[in-house]
Amino acid sequence: MALLKVKFNQKKRVKLAQGLWLMNWFSVFAGILVFSMGLFLKIELRKRSEVMDNSESHFVPNSLILMGILSCAFNGFAGKICYDSLDPAKFAKWKPLLKPYLALCCVFNMLLFFVALICFLMRGSLESTLAQGLKNGMKFYRDTDTPGRCFMKKTIDMLQIEFKCCGNNGYKDWFEIQWISNRYLDFSSKEVKDRIKSNVDGRYLVDGVPFSCCNPSSPRPCIQYQVTNNSAHYSYDYQTEELNLWRRGCREALLNYYSGMMSSMGAVIILVWLFEMSVMVGLRLLHTSLESIANPEDPECESEGWVLENSLKDTFKSALENLKKLGKFNQVEAGAEGAEGEEGGKIATVS
């Protein structure tokens, strides 16, 4: 029994073709939207590529850009087919291409759904990328004279100001690295010497943070140095008092920003996918209704259209059997080639 079997007369076929033509052009605009989202996400990721460890995060925007281009191409082509289906003479040239085209549409829609899922599942990979990238970026914060790293200080500062964050996981991350360049340290000072000697690696570590960690909304002037020294500040206890530094780490801030953006894009792509599926089903109904016309010379006669010629279960069984036959055919060919090789070896030995 055919799946979604529908009876058509000429009027219904014309309405279906016209409706599909319009829907395909809406799908072209949807493809442009997907392409634009991918381009926007790629630009946003490139803005902060210096604090990302690898290029794996660009898989999503690259996939969106590719899917957008393919969507425009596929739906533009389908729109032409639907337009020509109104004229039997023009439609005749498309008949041999329709089955391969519909198969490609199935593959395209599966890929589109996969990209939508990736948008929702990319959070874990993005988190590790940001964690390592921010850690490396903070190490290079002081290297303002080193080629290739001279803009890292500005990048980190602008990041912390824009996203209202501090450090990788929090402000205490700055206590573990030397973020003040040696050119701004007085090595004749006893305090500087003692701090460097007290560290195994010979680094100048302080319980302070860059100015960009300061929260301008705090009523108290920013305490960015000697953050953990209660006696250095009047009426201050860093363990109980609400600090005037950003509490949130930049990894969490960036992760929420990008994952929220990707989740929204994933939801849009799911809607596009549903629309694309409805267009594909409609195109299949149009194809089968035109194919099943009993008398091609009488375009006004009735015909039947369907999505699958057999039930879903039977279609699945048939596909499995075809795959098994294909596997057996490959095995037979491989065995025949092996036998030919053995015979050739025997002949060579005899001669």
Side-chain angles (χ1 to χ4, degrees):
M1 183 179 176
L3 182 67
L4 287 177
K5 199 171 186 179
V6 183
K7 283 190 176 182
F8 289 92
N9 54 29
Q10 187 188 21
K11 189 177 179 180
K12 285 184 178 180
R13 286 194 296 269
V14 169
K15 283 186 176 180
L16 178 61
Q18 289 174 340
L20 285 172
W21 179 83
L22 187 62
M23 287 175 72
N24 274 296
W25 285 109
F26 276 124
S27 294
V28 169
F29 290 118
I32 294 170
L33 175 64
V34 172
F35 175 84
S36 302
M37 288 193 303
L39 197 60
F40 174 74
L41 182 58
K42 194 171 185 70
I43 291 169
E44 285 295 303
L45 288 170
R46 281 198 177 277
K47 280 182 184 178
R48 296 164 189 98
S49 58
E50 292 175 330
V51 293
M52 292 187 177
D53 184 45
N54 53 47
S55 58
E56 285 180 11
S57 54
H58 288 275
F59 175 76
V60 172
N62 290 340
S63 300
L64 291 176
I65 290 169
L66 178 62
M67 288 294 106
I69 294 170
L70 289 176
S71 178
C72 292
F74 274 98
N75 290 294
F77 182 70
K80 174 64 176 171
I81 292 174
C82 294
Y83 182 79
D84 286 350
S85 66
L86 299 172
D87 185 353
K90 288 183 179 179
F91 181 72
K93 65 181 180 181
W94 297 117
K95 276 188 178 182
L97 299 174
L98 271 172
K99 279 189 177 179
Y101 173 75
L102 287 167
L104 285 173
C105 283
C106 288
V107 174
F108 169 75
N109 282 310
M110 284 191 288
L111 289 174
L112 192 63
F113 185 73
F114 174 73
V115 170
L117 288 180
I118 290 295
C119 287
F120 293 111
L121 302 174
M122 199 67 185
R123 185 181 176 92
S125 175
L126 190 61
E127 185 173 10
S128 60
T129 295
L130 286 169
Q132 192 58 43
L134 282 165
K135 187 177 179 181
N136 293 334
M138 289 170 63
K139 287 179 183 177
F140 303 143
Y141 182 87
R142 62 175 181 166
D143 297 338
T144 51
D145 297 328
T146 306
R149 300 176 185 171
C150 52
F151 296 108
M152 188 56 73
K153 178 186 180 299
K154 180 182 176 182
T155 300
I156 297 290
D157 283 333
M158 293 303 295
L159 177 69
Q160 293 187 147
I161 291 169
E162 182 182 352
F163 285 91
K164 299 179 180 180
C165 59
C166 184
N168 189 346
N169 299 305
Y171 69 92
K172 289 185 179 180
D173 292 336
W174 289 108
F175 300 172
E176 300 171 5
I177 62 169
Q178 181 181 338
W179 55 273
I180 301 173
S181 176
N182 287 339
R183 66 184 292 192
Y184 302 115
L185 296 176
D186 181 9
F187 287 95
S188 62
S189 168
K190 185 178 182 301
E191 182 189 349
V192 172
K193 286 180 181 179
D194 290 343
R195 279 194 178 273
I196 291 174
K197 285 179 182 178
S198 64
N199 192 280
V200 178
D201 298 329
R203 295 177 297 170
Y204 182 74
L205 303 180
V206 293
D207 56 342
V209 297
F211 78 97
S212 53
C213 283
C214 295
N215 181 356
S217 301
S218 174
R220 181 168 187 156
C222 185
I223 297 174
Q224 65 179 110
Y225 293 107
Q226 296 184 317
V227 176
T228 58
N229 187 356
N230 293 334
S231 60
H233 312 283
Y234 177 72
S235 184
Y236 176 75
D237 185 353
Y238 85 96
Q239 291 183 326
T240 59
E241 186 175 338
E242 186 71 26
L243 296 177
N244 50 10
L245 304 176
W246 299 119
R247 291 278 188 172
R248 187 171 61 162
C250 290
R251 178 186 56 79
E252 181 188 350
L254 282 172
L255 185 62
N256 290 340
Y257 174 71
Y258 283 120
S259 59
M261 189 186 298
M262 287 183 184
S263 296
S264 301
M265 289 179 178
V268 172
I269 294 166
I270 288 290
L271 293 175
V272 172
W273 174 75
L274 290 171
F275 192 75
E276 291 281 359
M277 288 293 292
S278 63
V279 171
M280 188 179 71
V281 169
L283 192 61
R284 173 64 175 167
L285 287 171
L286 179 65
H287 167 226
T288 50
S289 65
L290 290 169
E291 285 268 309
S292 62
I293 292 176
N295 184 10
E297 294 180 1
D298 181 18
E300 294 185 5
C301 68
E302 290 190 349
S303 63
E304 291 182 341
W306 56 83
V307 176
L308 294 175
E309 195 169 357
N310 300 312
S311 66
L312 195 62
K313 186 179 179 181
D314 292 338
T315 304
F316 183 70
K317 283 182 179 178
S318 177
L320 281 178
E321 286 174 4
N322 289 332
L323 286 173
K324 286 178 181 177
K325 286 178 182 177
L326 185 64
K328 287 178 181 178
F329 179 73
N330 290 335
Q331 286 177 1
V332 169
E333 280 193 339
E337 287 176 2
E340 286 177 5
E342 287 178 6
E343 286 179 6
K346 288 177 181 178
I347 291 167
T349 305
V350 170
S351 61

PDB file of all heavy atoms in Angstrom, residues 25-56:
ATOM      1  N   TRP A  25      10.871  29.252  -3.712  1.00  0.00           N
ATOM      2  CA  TRP A  25      11.526  30.567  -3.653  1.00  0.00           C
ATOM      3  C   TRP A  25      11.602  31.092  -2.222  1.00  0.00           C
ATOM      4  O   TRP A  25      12.546  31.790  -1.860  1.00  0.00           O
ATOM      5  CB  TRP A  25      10.814  31.555  -4.583  1.00  0.00           C
ATOM      6  CG  TRP A  25      11.166  31.272  -6.009  1.00  0.00           C
ATOM      7  CD1 TRP A  25      10.365  30.750  -6.978  1.00  0.00           C
ATOM      8  CD2 TRP A  25      12.458  31.421  -6.603  1.00  0.00           C
ATOM      9  NE1 TRP A  25      11.055  30.573  -8.143  1.00  0.00           N
ATOM     10  CE2 TRP A  25      12.353  30.981  -7.947  1.00  0.00           C
ATOM     11  CE3 TRP A  25      13.689  31.883  -6.160  1.00  0.00           C
ATOM     12  CZ2 TRP A  25      13.417  30.989  -8.835  1.00  0.00           C
ATOM     13  CZ3 TRP A  25      14.754  31.891  -7.035  1.00  0.00           C
ATOM     14  CH2 TRP A  25      14.618  31.446  -8.357  1.00  0.00           C
ATOM     15  N   PHE A  26      10.614  30.723  -1.391  1.00  0.00           N
ATOM     16  CA  PHE A  26      10.739  31.026   0.043  1.00  0.00           C
ATOM     17  C   PHE A  26      11.928  30.263   0.638  1.00  0.00           C
ATOM     18  O   PHE A  26      12.649  30.781   1.497  1.00  0.00           O
ATOM     19  CB  PHE A  26       9.454  30.659   0.788  1.00  0.00           C
ATOM     20  CG  PHE A  26       8.392  31.719   0.744  1.00  0.00           C
ATOM     21  CD1 PHE A  26       7.127  31.441   0.254  1.00  0.00           C
ATOM     22  CD2 PHE A  26       8.659  33.007   1.183  1.00  0.00           C
ATOM     23  CE1 PHE A  26       6.146  32.417   0.208  1.00  0.00           C
ATOM     24  CE2 PHE A  26       7.686  33.994   1.148  1.00  0.00           C
ATOM     25  CZ  PHE A  26       6.421  33.706   0.651  1.00  0.00           C
ATOM     26  N   SER A  27      12.125  29.033   0.165  1.00  0.00           N
ATOM     27  CA  SER A  27      13.257  28.226   0.632  1.00  0.00           C
ATOM     28  C   SER A  27      14.589  28.823   0.200  1.00  0.00           C
ATOM     29  O   SER A  27      15.592  28.690   0.904  1.00  0.00           O
ATOM     30  CB  SER A  27      13.141  26.789   0.108  1.00  0.00           C
ATOM     31  OG  SER A  27      12.025  26.146   0.658  1.00  0.00           O
ATOM     32  N   VAL A  28      14.615  29.469  -0.960  1.00  0.00           N
ATOM     33  CA  VAL A  28      15.840  30.154  -1.402  1.00  0.00           C
ATOM     34  C   VAL A  28      16.188  31.266  -0.417  1.00  0.00           C
ATOM     35  O   VAL A  28      17.349  31.426  -0.013  1.00  0.00           O
ATOM     36  CB  VAL A  28      15.669  30.711  -2.830  1.00  0.00           C
ATOM     37  CG1 VAL A  28      16.824  31.642  -3.192  1.00  0.00           C
ATOM     38  CG2 VAL A  28      15.599  29.577  -3.842  1.00  0.00           C
ATOM     39  N   PHE A  29      15.159  32.035  -0.009  1.00  0.00           N
ATOM     40  CA  PHE A  29      15.389  33.090   0.982  1.00  0.00           C
ATOM     41  C   PHE A  29      15.811  32.499   2.332  1.00  0.00           C
ATOM     42  O   PHE A  29      16.630  33.085   3.053  1.00  0.00           O
ATOM     43  CB  PHE A  29      14.132  33.950   1.145  1.00  0.00           C
ATOM     44  CG  PHE A  29      13.837  34.822  -0.049  1.00  0.00           C
ATOM     45  CD1 PHE A  29      12.666  34.669  -0.764  1.00  0.00           C
ATOM     46  CD2 PHE A  29      14.754  35.778  -0.481  1.00  0.00           C
ATOM     47  CE1 PHE A  29      12.403  35.449  -1.876  1.00  0.00           C
ATOM     48  CE2 PHE A  29      14.495  36.570  -1.590  1.00  0.00           C
ATOM     49  CZ  PHE A  29      13.309  36.409  -2.292  1.00  0.00           C
ATOM     50  N   ALA A  30      15.245  31.321   2.677  1.00  0.00           N
ATOM     51  CA  ALA A  30      15.661  30.631   3.910  1.00  0.00           C
ATOM     52  C   ALA A  30      17.129  30.212   3.811  1.00  0.00           C
ATOM     53  O   ALA A  30      17.882  30.283   4.784  1.00  0.00           O
ATOM     54  CB  ALA A  30      14.778  29.415   4.161  1.00  0.00           C
ATOM     55  N   GLY A  31      17.547  29.767   2.611  1.00  0.00           N
ATOM     56  CA  GLY A  31      18.957  29.417   2.387  1.00  0.00           C
ATOM     57  C   GLY A  31      19.872  30.615   2.555  1.00  0.00           C
ATOM     58  O   GLY A  31      20.961  30.507   3.128  1.00  0.00           O
ATOM     59  N   ILE A  32      19.407  31.774   2.071  1.00  0.00           N
ATOM     60  CA  ILE A  32      20.181  33.017   2.244  1.00  0.00           C
ATOM     61  C   ILE A  32      20.291  33.350   3.728  1.00  0.00           C
ATOM     62  O   ILE A  32      21.338  33.794   4.210  1.00  0.00           O
ATOM     63  CB  ILE A  32      19.528  34.177   1.462  1.00  0.00           C
ATOM     64  CG1 ILE A  32      19.615  33.905  -0.045  1.00  0.00           C
ATOM     65  CG2 ILE A  32      20.191  35.510   1.801  1.00  0.00           C
ATOM     66  CD1 ILE A  32      18.809  34.862  -0.901  1.00  0.00           C
ATOM     67  N   LEU A  33      19.205  33.099   4.478  1.00  0.00           N
ATOM     68  CA  LEU A  33      19.222  33.336   5.932  1.00  0.00           C
ATOM     69  C   LEU A  33      20.233  32.422   6.618  1.00  0.00           C
ATOM     70  O   LEU A  33      21.008  32.871   7.475  1.00  0.00           O
ATOM     71  CB  LEU A  33      17.819  33.111   6.500  1.00  0.00           C
ATOM     72  CG  LEU A  33      17.680  33.191   8.029  1.00  0.00           C
ATOM     73  CD1 LEU A  33      18.000  34.602   8.516  1.00  0.00           C
ATOM     74  CD2 LEU A  33      16.277  32.788   8.470  1.00  0.00           C
ATOM     75  N   VAL A  34      20.235  31.129   6.256  1.00  0.00           N
ATOM     76  CA  VAL A  34      21.188  30.174   6.847  1.00  0.00           C
ATOM     77  C   VAL A  34      22.622  30.581   6.509  1.00  0.00           C
ATOM     78  O   VAL A  34      23.511  30.544   7.369  1.00  0.00           O
ATOM     79  CB  VAL A  34      20.893  28.741   6.337  1.00  0.00           C
ATOM     80  CG1 VAL A  34      21.977  27.771   6.783  1.00  0.00           C
ATOM     81  CG2 VAL A  34      19.531  28.263   6.842  1.00  0.00           C
ATOM     82  N   PHE A  35      22.848  30.973   5.268  1.00  0.00           N
ATOM     83  CA  PHE A  35      24.178  31.438   4.839  1.00  0.00           C
ATOM     84  C   PHE A  35      24.602  32.665   5.657  1.00  0.00           C
ATOM     85  O   PHE A  35      25.754  32.753   6.122  1.00  0.00           O
ATOM     86  CB  PHE A  35      24.143  31.785   3.348  1.00  0.00           C
ATOM     87  CG  PHE A  35      25.418  32.382   2.822  1.00  0.00           C
ATOM     88  CD1 PHE A  35      26.471  31.560   2.424  1.00  0.00           C
ATOM     89  CD2 PHE A  35      25.578  33.755   2.737  1.00  0.00           C
ATOM     90  CE1 PHE A  35      27.659  32.114   1.950  1.00  0.00           C
ATOM     91  CE2 PHE A  35      26.757  34.314   2.261  1.00  0.00           C
ATOM     92  CZ  PHE A  35      27.800  33.487   1.869  1.00  0.00           C
ATOM     93  N   SER A  36      23.681  33.602   5.850  1.00  0.00           N
ATOM     94  CA  SER A  36      23.982  34.830   6.607  1.00  0.00           C
ATOM     95  C   SER A  36      24.301  34.518   8.067  1.00  0.00           C
ATOM     96  O   SER A  36      25.211  35.115   8.659  1.00  0.00           O
ATOM     97  CB  SER A  36      22.796  35.800   6.532  1.00  0.00           C
ATOM     98  OG  SER A  36      22.490  36.112   5.198  1.00  0.00           O
ATOM     99  N   MET A  37      23.553  33.569   8.659  1.00  0.00           N
ATOM    100  CA  MET A  37      23.824  33.179  10.047  1.00  0.00           C
ATOM    101  C   MET A  37      25.216  32.574  10.178  1.00  0.00           C
ATOM    102  O   MET A  37      25.949  32.864  11.122  1.00  0.00           O
ATOM    103  CB  MET A  37      22.767  32.186  10.536  1.00  0.00           C
ATOM    104  CG  MET A  37      21.407  32.783  10.771  1.00  0.00           C
ATOM    105  SD  MET A  37      20.270  31.697  11.685  1.00  0.00           S
ATOM    106  CE  MET A  37      20.254  30.238  10.648  1.00  0.00           C
ATOM    107  N   GLY A  38      25.580  31.714   9.218  1.00  0.00           N
ATOM    108  CA  GLY A  38      26.914  31.107   9.243  1.00  0.00           C
ATOM    109  C   GLY A  38      28.004  32.145   9.104  1.00  0.00           C
ATOM    110  O   GLY A  38      29.022  32.092   9.795  1.00  0.00           O
ATOM    111  N   LEU A  39      27.783  33.114   8.213  1.00  0.00           N
ATOM    112  CA  LEU A  39      28.774  34.176   8.007  1.00  0.00           C
ATOM    113  C   LEU A  39      28.909  35.035   9.259  1.00  0.00           C
ATOM    114  O   LEU A  39      30.029  35.396   9.669  1.00  0.00           O
ATOM    115  CB  LEU A  39      28.344  35.034   6.811  1.00  0.00           C
ATOM    116  CG  LEU A  39      29.407  35.928   6.174  1.00  0.00           C
ATOM    117  CD1 LEU A  39      30.576  35.120   5.643  1.00  0.00           C
ATOM    118  CD2 LEU A  39      28.785  36.771   5.065  1.00  0.00           C
ATOM    119  N   PHE A  40      27.775  35.369   9.878  1.00  0.00           N
ATOM    120  CA  PHE A  40      27.792  36.188  11.103  1.00  0.00           C
ATOM    121  C   PHE A  40      28.523  35.463  12.233  1.00  0.00           C
ATOM    122  O   PHE A  40      29.358  36.053  12.932  1.00  0.00           O
ATOM    123  CB  PHE A  40      26.352  36.502  11.526  1.00  0.00           C
ATOM    124  CG  PHE A  40      26.250  37.205  12.852  1.00  0.00           C
ATOM    125  CD1 PHE A  40      26.596  38.540  12.966  1.00  0.00           C
ATOM    126  CD2 PHE A  40      25.824  36.520  13.984  1.00  0.00           C
ATOM    127  CE1 PHE A  40      26.508  39.187  14.198  1.00  0.00           C
ATOM    128  CE2 PHE A  40      25.743  37.156  15.208  1.00  0.00           C
ATOM    129  CZ  PHE A  40      26.079  38.500  15.317  1.00  0.00           C
ATOM    130  N   LEU A  41      28.227  34.155  12.407  1.00  0.00           N
ATOM    131  CA  LEU A  41      28.881  33.370  13.463  1.00  0.00           C
ATOM    132  C   LEU A  41      30.381  33.259  13.207  1.00  0.00           C
ATOM    133  O   LEU A  41      31.179  33.339  14.152  1.00  0.00           O
ATOM    134  CB  LEU A  41      28.242  31.982  13.540  1.00  0.00           C
ATOM    135  CG  LEU A  41      28.777  31.040  14.623  1.00  0.00           C
ATOM    136  CD1 LEU A  41      28.625  31.655  16.011  1.00  0.00           C
ATOM    137  CD2 LEU A  41      28.054  29.697  14.567  1.00  0.00           C
ATOM    138  N   LYS A  42      30.778  33.087  11.954  1.00  0.00           N
ATOM    139  CA  LYS A  42      32.199  32.984  11.610  1.00  0.00           C
ATOM    140  C   LYS A  42      32.927  34.286  11.952  1.00  0.00           C
ATOM    141  O   LYS A  42      34.037  34.270  12.490  1.00  0.00           O
ATOM    142  CB  LYS A  42      32.352  32.667  10.124  1.00  0.00           C
ATOM    143  CG  LYS A  42      33.768  32.215   9.751  1.00  0.00           C
ATOM    144  CD  LYS A  42      33.822  31.702   8.343  1.00  0.00           C
ATOM    145  CE  LYS A  42      35.202  31.139   8.023  1.00  0.00           C
ATOM    146  NZ  LYS A  42      35.469  29.891   8.736  1.00  0.00           N
ATOM    147  N   ILE A  43      32.296  35.423  11.648  1.00  0.00           N
ATOM    148  CA  ILE A  43      32.896  36.729  11.962  1.00  0.00           C
ATOM    149  C   ILE A  43      33.022  36.898  13.477  1.00  0.00           C
ATOM    150  O   ILE A  43      34.053  37.372  13.984  1.00  0.00           O
ATOM    151  CB  ILE A  43      32.053  37.867  11.348  1.00  0.00           C
ATOM    152  CG1 ILE A  43      32.168  37.834   9.811  1.00  0.00           C
ATOM    153  CG2 ILE A  43      32.501  39.218  11.870  1.00  0.00           C
ATOM    154  CD1 ILE A  43      31.178  38.725   9.100  1.00  0.00           C
ATOM    155  N   GLU A  44      31.978  36.502  14.223  1.00  0.00           N
ATOM    156  CA  GLU A  44      32.010  36.618  15.684  1.00  0.00           C
ATOM    157  C   GLU A  44      33.094  35.740  16.293  1.00  0.00           C
ATOM    158  O   GLU A  44      33.763  36.144  17.250  1.00  0.00           O
ATOM    159  CB  GLU A  44      30.641  36.234  16.265  1.00  0.00           C
ATOM    160  CG  GLU A  44      29.568  37.276  16.078  1.00  0.00           C
ATOM    161  CD  GLU A  44      29.882  38.555  16.831  1.00  0.00           C
ATOM    162  OE1 GLU A  44      30.066  38.501  18.054  1.00  0.00           O
ATOM    163  OE2 GLU A  44      29.955  39.625  16.182  1.00  0.00           O
ATOM    164  N   LEU A  45      33.286  34.541  15.745  1.00  0.00           N
ATOM    165  CA  LEU A  45      34.332  33.649  16.258  1.00  0.00           C
ATOM    166  C   LEU A  45      35.722  34.175  15.902  1.00  0.00           C
ATOM    167  O   LEU A  45      36.657  34.070  16.702  1.00  0.00           O
ATOM    168  CB  LEU A  45      34.145  32.243  15.690  1.00  0.00           C
ATOM    169  CG  LEU A  45      32.954  31.443  16.235  1.00  0.00           C
ATOM    170  CD1 LEU A  45      32.732  30.183  15.420  1.00  0.00           C
ATOM    171  CD2 LEU A  45      33.152  31.087  17.702  1.00  0.00           C
ATOM    172  N   ARG A  46      35.855  34.749  14.705  1.00  0.00           N
ATOM    173  CA  ARG A  46      37.156  35.284  14.297  1.00  0.00           C
ATOM    174  C   ARG A  46      37.565  36.500  15.132  1.00  0.00           C
ATOM    175  O   ARG A  46      38.742  36.762  15.328  1.00  0.00           O
ATOM    176  CB  ARG A  46      37.131  35.662  12.806  1.00  0.00           C
ATOM    177  CG  ARG A  46      37.276  34.466  11.884  1.00  0.00           C
ATOM    178  CD  ARG A  46      37.685  34.897  10.494  1.00  0.00           C
ATOM    179  NE  ARG A  46      37.895  33.755   9.625  1.00  0.00           N
ATOM    180  CZ  ARG A  46      39.005  33.055   9.576  1.00  0.00           C
ATOM    181  NH1 ARG A  46      40.017  33.374  10.364  1.00  0.00           N
ATOM    182  NH2 ARG A  46      39.126  32.031   8.750  1.00  0.00           N
ATOM    183  N   LYS A  47      36.576  37.238  15.624  1.00  0.00           N
ATOM    184  CA  LYS A  47      36.870  38.395  16.471  1.00  0.00           C
ATOM    185  C   LYS A  47      37.666  37.992  17.708  1.00  0.00           C
ATOM    186  O   LYS A  47      38.482  38.757  18.204  1.00  0.00           O
ATOM    187  CB  LYS A  47      35.563  39.059  16.923  1.00  0.00           C
ATOM    188  CG  LYS A  47      34.923  39.958  15.894  1.00  0.00           C
ATOM    189  CD  LYS A  47      33.673  40.592  16.499  1.00  0.00           C
ATOM    190  CE  LYS A  47      32.924  41.431  15.490  1.00  0.00           C
ATOM    191  NZ  LYS A  47      31.684  41.990  16.082  1.00  0.00           N
ATOM    192  N   ARG A  48      37.404  36.782  18.191  1.00  0.00           N
ATOM    193  CA  ARG A  48      38.047  36.313  19.423  1.00  0.00           C
ATOM    194  C   ARG A  48      38.842  35.042  19.185  1.00  0.00           C
ATOM    195  O   ARG A  48      38.957  34.193  20.064  1.00  0.00           O
ATOM    196  CB  ARG A  48      36.986  36.102  20.507  1.00  0.00           C
ATOM    197  CG  ARG A  48      36.317  37.417  20.863  1.00  0.00           C
ATOM    198  CD  ARG A  48      35.028  37.295  21.609  1.00  0.00           C
ATOM    199  NE  ARG A  48      34.419  38.625  21.690  1.00  0.00           N
ATOM    200  CZ  ARG A  48      33.466  39.059  20.877  1.00  0.00           C
ATOM    201  NH1 ARG A  48      32.991  38.270  19.934  1.00  0.00           N
ATOM    202  NH2 ARG A  48      32.984  40.274  20.997  1.00  0.00           N
ATOM    203  N   SER A  49      39.362  34.894  17.975  1.00  0.00           N
ATOM    204  CA  SER A  49      40.151  33.706  17.632  1.00  0.00           C
ATOM    205  C   SER A  49      41.439  33.630  18.451  1.00  0.00           C
ATOM    206  O   SER A  49      41.990  32.547  18.653  1.00  0.00           O
ATOM    207  CB  SER A  49      40.487  33.703  16.137  1.00  0.00           C
ATOM    208  OG  SER A  49      41.205  34.871  15.787  1.00  0.00           O
ATOM    209  N   GLU A  50      41.922  34.786  18.950  1.00  0.00           N
ATOM    210  CA  GLU A  50      43.161  34.794  19.730  1.00  0.00           C
ATOM    211  C   GLU A  50      42.996  34.130  21.086  1.00  0.00           C
ATOM    212  O   GLU A  50      43.978  33.740  21.707  1.00  0.00           O
ATOM    213  CB  GLU A  50      43.646  36.235  19.920  1.00  0.00           C
ATOM    214  CG  GLU A  50      44.109  36.884  18.614  1.00  0.00           C
ATOM    215  CD  GLU A  50      44.463  38.351  18.813  1.00  0.00           C
ATOM    216  OE1 GLU A  50      43.868  38.992  19.704  1.00  0.00           O
ATOM    217  OE2 GLU A  50      45.307  38.863  18.083  1.00  0.00           O
ATOM    218  N   VAL A  51      41.769  34.022  21.558  1.00  0.00           N
ATOM    219  CA  VAL A  51      41.530  33.370  22.858  1.00  0.00           C
ATOM    220  C   VAL A  51      40.836  32.016  22.669  1.00  0.00           C
ATOM    221  O   VAL A  51      40.175  31.516  23.583  1.00  0.00           O
ATOM    222  CB  VAL A  51      40.694  34.280  23.792  1.00  0.00           C
ATOM    223  CG1 VAL A  51      41.488  35.501  24.185  1.00  0.00           C
ATOM    224  CG2 VAL A  51      39.367  34.668  23.157  1.00  0.00           C
ATOM    225  N   MET A  52      40.987  31.439  21.478  1.00  0.00           N
ATOM    226  CA  MET A  52      40.458  30.108  21.205  1.00  0.00           C
ATOM    227  C   MET A  52      41.610  29.208  20.801  1.00  0.00           C
ATOM    228  O   MET A  52      42.485  29.609  20.030  1.00  0.00           O
ATOM    229  CB  MET A  52      39.396  30.156  20.104  1.00  0.00           C
ATOM    230  CG  MET A  52      38.140  30.868  20.553  1.00  0.00           C
ATOM    231  SD  MET A  52      36.817  30.768  19.342  1.00  0.00           S
ATOM    232  CE  MET A  52      35.506  31.604  20.231  1.00  0.00           C
ATOM    233  N   ASP A  53      41.584  27.994  21.312  1.00  0.00           N
ATOM    234  CA  ASP A  53      42.735  27.101  21.165  1.00  0.00           C
ATOM    235  C   ASP A  53      42.882  26.510  19.774  1.00  0.00           C
ATOM    236  O   ASP A  53      43.982  26.280  19.307  1.00  0.00           O
ATOM    237  CB  ASP A  53      42.623  25.970  22.206  1.00  0.00           C
ATOM    238  CG  ASP A  53      43.825  25.046  22.191  1.00  0.00           C
ATOM    239  OD1 ASP A  53      44.957  25.563  22.148  1.00  0.00           O
ATOM    240  OD2 ASP A  53      43.639  23.827  22.211  1.00  0.00           O
ATOM    241  N   ASN A  54      41.789  26.230  19.090  1.00  0.00           N
ATOM    242  CA  ASN A  54      41.875  25.603  17.760  1.00  0.00           C
ATOM    243  C   ASN A  54      40.740  26.076  16.883  1.00  0.00           C
ATOM    244  O   ASN A  54      39.916  26.900  17.289  1.00  0.00           O
ATOM    245  CB  ASN A  54      41.853  24.067  17.876  1.00  0.00           C
ATOM    246  CG  ASN A  54      40.667  23.593  18.685  1.00  0.00           C
ATOM    247  OD1 ASN A  54      39.543  24.030  18.466  1.00  0.00           O
ATOM    248  ND2 ASN A  54      40.911  22.693  19.629  1.00  0.00           N
ATOM    249  N   SER A  55      40.715  25.565  15.662  1.00  0.00           N
ATOM    250  CA  SER A  55      39.723  25.998  14.673  1.00  0.00           C
ATOM    251  C   SER A  55      38.509  25.068  14.598  1.00  0.00           C
ATOM    252  O   SER A  55      37.714  25.169  13.674  1.00  0.00           O
ATOM    253  CB  SER A  55      40.379  26.076  13.287  1.00  0.00           C
ATOM    254  OG  SER A  55      40.919  24.816  12.930  1.00  0.00           O
ATOM    255  N   GLU A  56      38.357  24.139  15.565  1.00  0.00           N
ATOM    256  CA  GLU A  56      37.222  23.217  15.539  1.00  0.00           C
ATOM    257  C   GLU A  56      35.896  23.965  15.641  1.00  0.00           C
ATOM    258  O   GLU A  56      34.888  23.527  15.093  1.00  0.00           O
ATOM    259  CB  GLU A  56      37.306  22.220  16.700  1.00  0.00           C
ATOM    260  CG  GLU A  56      38.357  21.129  16.488  1.00  0.00           C
ATOM    261  CD  GLU A  56      38.406  20.169  17.658  1.00  0.00           C
ATOM    262  OE1 GLU A  56      37.511  20.220  18.510  1.00  0.00           O
ATOM    263  OE2 GLU A  56      39.355  19.376  17.719  1.00  0.00           O
TER     264      GLU A  56
END
